[in-house]
Amino acid sequence: MREEKYYKINKSKKICILLVSILVLIKKNNGYAAITVGGSSQGAYQSIGSCQQKDRTCTILTSKFIDYLKAYAGSYVSVKFNYKDSSAWEQDMKPGTWSNDSIDDVNFMIFSGHGYKKGKVCSYNTLHYYNLNSFTDFHPSSNEGMSDANLTTKEAEWGKSGTATRWVATYSCNFLNTEDSYCRNMMQGINIMMGFSSTMYINSNEGMALGMDLGLGENIIDSFLADAAKNQNGCLDNEGVAMVIYASAARNDTIYSYAYANSKPNPIGGSTAYYSITRTIPAKQ
């Protein structure tokens, strides 16, 4: 994996950075409450776990997102947790079941790891973990579909009353695959759901790009789609599809200015209108 190179900043670049910092400061001072962020990611599926899935740089993607978001947004963003590898459990993403900090307790949640679409190991699309809500208990390679190793779309009822969740980003294959009729089930009070309805490619620089964009106050939906198309371009054997599902009023959300600041959208199927938008990711030539 290529590492980012850091160069000596000349005088003109310092001026640009100062201007950007001033603009971000203006966006922060808009009366909206500061936000909390959490992460759950696994990458060592075989080197630590006993999974059929290969190791990926998923934990690096999540950490880059959180680090760059914090670097650009400063004190406006509070990082509540960033669980990685055997410290990351399915219960991190499961609403209403966990006494420790989880998705219910943060405004912005990011997951990065493997996923399965409906029919592969479960009856629903899943976010896949190599452990069983344990530091040391791993699912056997012969049973990828164990319940504690998979957060399904049916279980992902995110954003209900009393929870903090507004935005969720999942860097995982097929969690929003539309063959699963529950692929919108997570819209139970969150503003925006981001993910992929196809196979996707883990490029840790995508986490860096999204963190930087959101920290600069860019549109959440547009940034996610553009960063996916740029950083996965030409990496997949077949076309990929990045997908976002959102409550209508949240189309122009940024982390500094967002819909439902003092309320929540109604669960999907109710009076709130929901829409989806996709971006095609070109395959290898």
Side-chain angles (χ1 to χ4, degrees):
M1 184 186 76
R2 292 187 301 176
E3 294 296 328
E4 290 77 28
K5 293 182 179 179
Y6 295 89
Y7 299 94
K8 186 176 181 180
I9 299 173
N10 60 34
K11 185 175 180 180
S12 62
K13 287 184 178 179
K14 287 181 179 179
I15 294 172
C16 289
I17 291 171
L18 177 60
L19 291 173
V20 167
S21 299
I22 293 171
L23 289 173
V24 171
L25 182 62
I26 292 171
K27 290 180 179 181
K28 291 178 188 177
N29 294 330
N30 58 7
Y32 286 78
I35 68 166
T36 52
V37 177
S40 179
S41 57
Q42 290 193 332
Y45 281 81
Q46 291 186 357
S47 56
I48 294 179
S50 301
C51 191
Q52 294 179 16
Q53 297 286 359
K54 294 180 180 179
D55 289 2
R56 293 289 184 265
T57 57
C58 303
T59 59
I60 300 174
L61 184 152
T62 299
S63 292
K64 282 187 176 182
F65 168 77
I66 290 174
D67 290 347
Y68 275 82
L69 178 64
K70 180 66 176 173
Y72 279 82
S75 60
Y76 184 81
V77 167
S78 174
V79 181
K80 202 152 192 179
F81 57 85
N82 183 17
Y83 303 130
K84 293 183 281 188
D85 277 316
S86 56
S87 295
W89 301 357
E90 177 250 6
Q91 287 185 338
D92 304 339
M93 302 297 294
K94 196 169 186 177
T97 61
W98 188 222
S99 59
N100 290 346
D101 288 336
S102 71
I103 189 170
D104 287 345
D105 303 304
V106 292
N107 304 132
F108 197 115
M109 184 71 186
I110 179 171
F111 169 86
S112 182
H114 282 293
Y116 285 107
K117 71 176 181 179
K118 173 185 177 181
K120 288 291 185 179
V121 300
C122 297
S123 299
Y124 309 93
N125 301 337
T126 77
L127 303 177
H128 185 67
Y129 289 81
Y130 59 74
N131 54 358
L132 301 172
N133 291 314
S134 165
F135 294 111
T136 56
D137 190 12
F138 306 141
H139 77 71
S141 60
S142 59
N143 194 349
E144 296 283 300
M146 294 182 72
S147 176
D148 285 352
N150 293 279
L151 188 283
T152 70
T153 50
K154 188 174 182 181
E155 294 172 311
E157 295 182 335
W158 295 327
K160 288 187 173 181
S161 177
T163 66
T165 323
R166 289 195 184 100
W167 311 289
V168 183
T170 56
Y171 288 88
S172 174
C173 295
N174 287 301
F175 192 60
L176 297 183
N177 191 298
T178 55
E179 292 179 19
D180 181 357
S181 61
Y182 279 85
C183 76
R184 297 181 176 219
N185 185 56
M186 64 286 297
M187 308 304 293
Q188 299 295 319
I190 62 173
N191 288 19
I192 299 172
M193 171 67 215
M194 296 160 274
F196 298 85
S197 61
S198 66
T199 300
M200 58 87 59
Y201 182 87
I202 293 291
N203 179 349
S204 65
N205 287 334
E206 190 172 340
M208 176 183 69
L210 185 64
M212 187 184 305
D213 287 344
L214 300 196
L216 288 171
E218 299 296 330
N219 180 284
I220 293 174
I221 293 174
D222 294 342
S223 296
F224 175 81
L225 294 173
D227 292 337
K230 178 180 179 180
N231 287 280
Q232 298 182 46
N233 188 355
C235 296
L236 298 166
D237 292 331
N238 299 302
E239 283 186 346
V241 181
M243 183 174 181
V244 177
I245 305 168
Y246 62 95
S248 57
R251 178 61 182 87
N252 295 314
D253 274 11
T254 73
I255 65 168
Y256 303 113
S257 176
Y258 44 85
Y260 308 105
N262 299 305
S263 62
K264 284 182 172 290
N266 291 311
I268 196 161
S271 59
T272 299
Y274 287 88
Y275 299 94
S276 61
I277 183 171
T278 60
R279 178 73 58 87
T280 300
I281 303 170
K284 295 176 182 176
Q285 298 297 315

